[in-house]
Amino acid sequence: EEEEEEEEEEEDDDDGLSSSTQSTGKKRKRFNKFRHVRAHVNPLSNNRFPGIPVCPADMKWGELYPGMHGHGAPLEVEFADVGCGFGGLLVSLAPLFPNTLIVGLEIRERAVQYVNDRISSLRSQHETFNTLGDTHEQRMERFRATLNPGQPHYDGDPSFHYANIHALRCNAMKYFPCYFRKGQLTKLFFLFPDPHFKKTNHRRRIINTYLLAEYAFALREGGMLYTITDVHDLHVWMVKHLDAHPLFERIPDAALADDKAFQVIFSGTDEGLKVDRAAGDKFPAVYRRMPYTPSMMPLMGTGGAGAGASSGHAVQPMG
């Protein structure tokens, strides 16, 4: 693991650009290290994450969404995209759920910077659109031109300005419970997660028995957990673990035909569009958070004393 991180660090030159010469004497494409984003980061490493709240009560969501108003009530995030990548899902969901706060959690610092820059650009762009004295149809046409390819048809307000989305740098495997109180979330997304193919790295997978207890704690009863991947083995892994957890029940795909979020996870994300270009397969699975009953306790006790070792937190009974 340490050797992999060292190899990645050696890619960056002091001048901000990197290039290498092959045996043929040809130079590879140069890249700017200030925009270069690593494809993989070890979630089990002891990297520093400044600003992690001690508990969910310390999380001041209103400061991250200054353009939103809670009508006297504290603002709280209801949708979370774990491993948001370059923000494709955030941008796609934002106009479909304009009154819902959506947060993307991403472990890579430069990816988070890119997503928030992308959001700022969209906000500025739409503020400019709204100052033009065009007709409603012309404004709507301009707005639709800025949507992600593959995003569902939009008939909402063309003055929408993406004030309801934000990205945070966070290692969700370690700090997820620090952000969300019990039953806070209504939707939780795990789209095209890192498959970690090697068997020795399966413990790095974002869906596992112990982390599912934390996700169930943050999801309110009736909330939904969305997964999709283009790797069949990973799909089987995620379905196996979710099916085995008593607080999650799979929803048949046919029952999700009218779910706007389900439509978005296929082609409304950057990874989804990449899979489309490669003509690859996609394997979705959506689950509903079920109510807790005392009879579930024996089923949730699997893992023994080491249950919290994978995520760094003790597994708590769901209530």
Side-chain angles (χ1 to χ4, degrees), residues 85-233:
F86 297 106
L89 180 69
L90 300 180
V91 173
S92 295
L93 288 178
L96 300 178
F97 302 90
N99 299 317
T100 301
L101 298 191
I102 308 171
V103 69
L105 304 180
E106 173 60 48
I107 194 172
R108 297 168 297 175
E109 183 176 6
R110 290 177 186 168
V112 172
Q113 293 173 350
Y114 172 83
V115 174
N116 286 326
D117 287 346
R118 179 180 182 181
I119 295 170
S120 297
S121 177
L122 284 168
R123 290 173 181 171
S124 299
Q125 186 176 8
H126 286 275
E127 287 176 1
T128 301
F129 286 170
N130 295 332
T131 61
L132 301 178
D134 294 337
T135 65
H136 176 84
E137 290 75 14
Q138 290 173 323
R139 293 170 59 196
M140 182 63 76
E141 183 179 354
R142 273 200 307 270
F143 182 87
R144 288 174 180 158
T146 66
L147 298 177
N148 274 348
Q151 188 167 344
H153 184 73
Y154 180 75
D155 288 316
D157 184 1
S159 64
F160 176 77
H161 57 283
Y162 293 93
N164 61 333
I165 53 177
H166 187 81
L168 288 173
R169 184 174 181 238
C170 170
N171 185 344
M173 291 189 71
K174 292 186 176 183
Y175 304 115
F176 186 85
C178 298
Y179 287 90
F180 308 107
R181 62 172 177 81
K182 176 181 175 181
Q184 176 178 336
L185 300 176
T186 58
K187 293 185 185 295
L188 190 54
F189 299 89
F190 300 89
L191 310 186
F192 302 98
D194 193 329
H196 294 293
F197 290 106
K198 293 182 180 179
K199 187 174 181 180
T200 55
N201 290 338
H202 284 182
R203 61 199 175 103
R204 301 183 187 180
R205 288 180 171 177
I206 196 64
I207 297 291
N208 63 49
T209 301
Y210 311 122
L211 290 175
L212 284 176
E214 297 181 354
Y215 305 150
F217 184 85
L219 270 176
R220 68 186 61 171
E221 293 181 5
M224 300 173 70
L225 185 150
Y226 298 76
T227 71
I228 191 170
T229 179
D230 58 329
V231 179
H232 184 261
D233 289 345

Side-chain angles (χ1 to χ4, degrees), residues 212-266:
L212 284 176
E214 297 181 354
Y215 305 150
F217 184 85
L219 270 176
R220 68 186 61 171
E221 293 181 5
M224 300 173 70
L225 185 150
Y226 298 76
T227 71
I228 191 170
T229 179
D230 58 329
V231 179
H232 184 261
D233 289 345
L234 179 60
H235 170 70
V236 171
W237 165 282
M238 293 191 292
V239 168
K240 173 185 175 181
H241 285 76
L242 282 159
D243 284 346
H245 200 287
L247 288 176
F248 290 102
E249 179 182 72
R250 188 168 184 180
I251 305 173
D253 292 351
L256 298 165
D258 296 328
D259 186 345
K260 293 184 290 186
F262 184 68
Q263 299 171 26
V264 168
I265 67 174
F266 284 88

